[in-house]
Amino acid sequence: MGILEKISEIEKEIARTQKNKATEYHLGLLKAKLARYRAQLLEPTKSTGSKGEGFDVMKSGDARVALIGFPSVGKSTFLSLMTSTASEAASYEFTTLTCIPGVIEYKGANIQLLDLPGIIEGAAQGKGRGRQVIAVARTADVVIMMLDATKGDVQRNLLEKELESVGIRLNKPKPNIYFKILGSIWRGTEQILFFKSSCEMKLNLDYLLEMLWEYLALTCIYTKKRGERPDFSGAIIMRKSASVEHVCHRIHRTLASQFKYALVWGTSTKYSPQRVGLTHIMEHEDVIQIVKK
């Protein structure tokens, strides 16, 4: 029996087991075993060479986006078009054999884009270096699922099955979690972005970037020194709902301890400038001037 079959059997047993105090310990053992099997799916087999070979790309920039799809759906073409990185594209399958990074410069942010090798059915069990590809996808803030327009529904269903089998949650809200002694900590949400666009015709690429920005939930914050104009040449890229304290930590690790108050101009204030404290929530393109003790 393969790992996926074992996972399926455990999930069925969990579903049919009545949940009460008497079965709580048994369910805990089943869930722990389920977590171990899912982790094994991401471990490369001994015959694939050194662990992560060709996939060890250092995370950089303000966010990471991974391209997932079957072979020859346009991932390399998309990377070459959206970044300054040239990724080999050809009409035959498996042109890309390793992880190739590029950078999208958008609204002052540097978004790392990863062109991953095409995966095939059975990737979660290691076929076609699928485990390494999926492992990299788990490190991304957003996954762009690229589909062949003529096989969209079929490819989408197969990709969802592969990703969900290793615990990547597809466009689902974060689960309610609680902690128990000897319990497990699970990852939150993995977002998968679907779009209809064309690299060849450059169709809807601007809209795709807008959607990507929304999924990443990024925001630009500009700084200002006393008596000087705001510095619009270099924004601080934060996540939405970032507070003044988060901005302080991004500027310098000791700034929050020296913080007295801040003046903020922008849509997050009732009037400009507004004097605020560390808990004030910043919004996109706000300007901040920090005053130290």
Side-chain angles (χ1 to χ4, degrees):
M1 184 183 294
I3 294 179
L4 285 180
E5 287 79 8
K6 292 179 181 178
I7 288 176
S8 178
E9 288 299 318
I10 293 174
E11 288 176 338
K12 290 177 183 176
E13 185 173 351
I14 291 175
R16 63 174 175 260
T17 300
Q18 198 171 26
K19 297 174 178 60
N20 52 51
K21 289 187 177 180
T23 61
E24 190 173 299
Y25 179 73
H26 177 64
L27 285 171
L29 292 178
L30 290 176
K31 290 177 180 178
K33 187 181 293 186
L34 186 63
R36 286 197 301 272
Y37 281 136
R38 283 177 170 165
Q40 286 177 24
L41 286 176
L42 297 179
E43 295 175 2
T45 57
K46 293 181 180 180
S47 60
T48 58
S50 59
K51 185 178 180 180
E53 181 181 359
F55 290 82
D56 297 329
V57 176
M58 182 178 295
K59 195 169 185 177
S60 64
D62 302 298
R64 170 178 275 194
V65 176
L67 297 176
I68 284 284
F70 287 93
S72 299
V73 292
K75 297 184 299 299
S76 298
T77 302
F78 181 79
L79 180 80
S80 300
L81 186 63
M82 304 302 292
T83 73
S84 59
T85 302
S87 183
E88 184 181 356
S91 58
Y92 53 85
E93 295 186 345
F94 300 108
T95 311
T96 302
L97 299 177
T98 60
C99 177
I100 300 176
V103 176
I104 299 175
E105 297 179 359
Y106 188 67
K107 292 188 178 181
N110 291 324
I111 302 171
Q112 186 182 47
L113 182 65
L114 301 181
D115 178 16
L116 296 173
I119 64 175
I120 58 176
E121 190 173 0
Q125 292 181 304
K127 293 183 179 179
R129 305 195 75 179
R131 292 177 184 171
Q132 291 96 320
V133 172
I134 293 175
V136 174
R138 291 177 70 93
T139 69
D141 300 294
V142 165
V143 173
I144 295 181
M145 185 180 290
M146 298 197 67
L147 309 172
D148 185 328
T150 62
K151 308 172 184 175
D153 291 338
V154 174
Q155 290 189 350
R156 174 176 174 172
N157 292 335
L158 289 172
L159 287 173
E160 286 180 344
K161 180 181 177 182
E162 294 296 331
L163 297 176
E164 288 182 353
S165 69
V166 291
I168 296 182
R169 300 174 60 84
L170 309 177
N171 282 344
K172 294 179 181 177
K174 293 182 179 179
N176 294 322
I177 62 172
Y178 59 93
F179 297 92
K180 277 188 176 183
I181 298 176
L182 301 180
S184 300
I185 300 177
W186 290 82
R187 289 176 61 88
T189 300
E190 300 283 350
Q191 293 187 331
I192 310 297
L193 176 64
F194 297 97
F195 61 100
K196 293 182 179 179
S197 64
S198 169
C199 294
E200 184 177 353
M201 296 184 292
K202 297 185 179 179
L203 177 66
N204 281 339
L205 296 182
D206 290 339
Y207 173 74
L208 172 60
L209 286 176
E210 284 288 344
M211 289 293 296
L212 187 59
W213 182 267
E214 289 299 318
Y215 268 77
L216 289 171
L218 298 178
T219 184
C220 299
I221 308 297
Y222 299 104
T223 58
K224 177 186 179 302
K225 293 182 179 179
R226 184 176 181 179
E228 298 182 12
R229 295 179 63 83
D231 179 15
F232 293 115
S233 62
I236 298 175
I237 307 298
M238 306 291 294
R239 297 287 180 176
K240 282 186 179 178
S241 301
S243 66
V244 171
E245 185 175 8
H246 292 135
V247 176
C248 289
H249 288 312
R250 176 64 66 87
I251 296 173
H252 195 277
R253 65 180 182 277
T254 64
L255 186 56
S257 62
Q258 302 170 6
F259 179 87
K260 186 176 182 181
Y261 64 88
L263 295 175
V264 175
W265 292 256
T267 57
S268 69
T269 61
K270 297 179 181 178
Y271 48 87
S272 295
Q274 180 177 335
R275 182 167 169 167
V276 300
L278 286 172
T279 58
H280 178 78
I281 302 301
M282 305 292 290
E283 292 187 3
H284 184 56
E285 294 187 338
D286 276 358
V287 176
I288 185 171
Q289 176 185 324
I290 297 174
V291 179
K292 297 190 292 186
K293 296 177 182 176

